[in-house]
Amino acid sequence: MKNKNKKSSEGLKSLSASLLCIFGGIFVGFVVLVLLSVFNPRIGFAEAVRGILVVLGGPFSGGGNSLFQFGNMLFNATPLILTGLSACIAFKTGLFNIGTPGQYLMGAMVTLIVSLSIPSASVPSPIIWLLALISGTLAGALWGAIPGFFKAYLNVNEVIVCIMTNWIAANVVSWVFNSSKFINVAESKVNFIMKTEVNNIVTATFGLDKIFSGGSVVSYADASIFLAICVAIALYVVMNKTTFGYELKACGFNRDGAKYAGMNEKRNLLLAMAIAGGLAAMGASIWCLNGHQDFKWETYQTLPVDGFNGIPAALLAGNNPIGIIFTAIFLKYINVGGSNLAANTAFNEYVSQLMIAMIVYFSGFARYISMLLSTKKKSLQEIETEIKNSKEEKK
């Protein structure tokens, strides 16, 4: 009973810390809007209030396109959920997986090669879809295992190796697709890979695209959101209800202690990074397999944003796999609200980007805030105990 109460108390403190981070970011964004209205008399304070309401309205501040925007938001949140899970399992094992963008890129590359190389006229589309998903996930797992190996067996800092593998992956992907027959040569786009729908490879929608359609415009929403939720639940069960998950967390708490207890800490570190890489790559795979997304292959100058944003999504959720579902959707929710700013107010969408940046910044303090809440609670309990003991002594 005590353990249950302790877990619920820790969960409440983690949730409180996350909410404080979110409110802090929103408050900073509102202050910026107010300052912009002060220095520009034509805008006014009322417009600042309207601006923050538009951001907080997310897809529902988009007027007649609300359902369409909500469906697209769910689809765009799916890769972020998986990259957040990637960061989560690494954090749980005491590792910092900043190599998620590289793992994401490798997953996208292999997924596209498989899905566009096998003709759907010869092999059923669902089989190609599954092969592409598995292949992309395995590619990311192998790429994630590289920093895991260096950390486990050579004690090289995983952050350094992850950064190196990120840019190696970016250049490998650019080199592979540079002379690829899959390049989209449309006049309106340059350096993009064909959409998988040209080979009849499209993720099942289960009617979500119609539910979230905006009149004649059909949403990108598909069944991948359910897949991401199932993966999050599975990871939660593994980390909290299995021996393997216990060993991973034990390595995170104290690697030497885990080794002394008879656990194979090197294997666990390697497997944790491999799983993390596979999850990040799966996010890229399901994004590409949507069928309506064309992938920009010239990535040697920039890295996928969702790869990095998975880290604050995990931190905001207190490294809880279930919580990551909600934090990832929330970050995309704010992003959609920001995109509606320019159309509905005198501000531009960069204000929402600042808001998200501040939430991301504050997320780094989520654990510290949680610790402060624990300390405060502990000190109050000590005071109550002292008062109680003092009364008993007087009696």
Side-chain angles (χ1 to χ4, degrees), residues 305-365:
V305 175
D306 281 343
F308 291 115
N309 286 347
I311 296 171
L315 291 173
L316 271 177
N319 289 322
N320 185 310
I322 305 299
I324 289 171
I325 299 171
F326 300 99
T327 55
I329 291 175
F330 173 77
L331 288 174
K332 290 297 181 182
Y333 180 93
I334 292 293
N335 194 41
V336 175
S339 65
N340 291 325
L341 266 178
N344 297 283
T345 68
F347 306 103
N348 58 44
E349 64 183 47
Y350 297 111
V351 175
S352 71
Q353 295 298 323
L354 172 65
M355 201 177 296
I356 293 172
M358 293 308 302
I359 292 173
V360 168
Y361 177 76
F362 288 136
S363 69
F365 296 94

Side-chain angles (χ1 to χ4, degrees), residues 19 30 69 124 162 183 194 201 213 282 330 341 389:
L19 290 175
F30 180 63
Q69 289 189 2
C162 282
I183 292 178
M194 288 181 180
I201 308 300
S213 63
M282 183 183 288
F330 173 77
L341 266 178
N389 292 336

Side-chain angles (χ1 to χ4, degrees), residues 89-102:
I89 191 170
F91 280 134
K92 289 283 189 182
T93 320
L95 300 168
F96 186 32
N97 183 25
I98 202 171
T100 315

Side-chain angles (χ1 to χ4, degrees), residues 79 83 99-109 277 280-281 283-285 287 295 304 306-307:
T83 55
T100 315
Q103 298 148 14
Y104 186 98
L105 288 173
M106 296 303 287
M109 180 185 73
S285 294
W287 189 86
F295 176 75
D306 281 343

Side-chain angles (χ1 to χ4, degrees), residues 24 69 73 110 130 143 148 156 181 185 213 220 258 291 303 365 368 370 389:
Q69 289 189 2
M73 179 202 71
V110 174
L130 186 60
W143 203 251
V156 179
K181 63 180 179 179
V185 293
S213 63
Y220 295 140
L303 294 170
F365 296 94
Y368 177 69
S370 181
N389 292 336

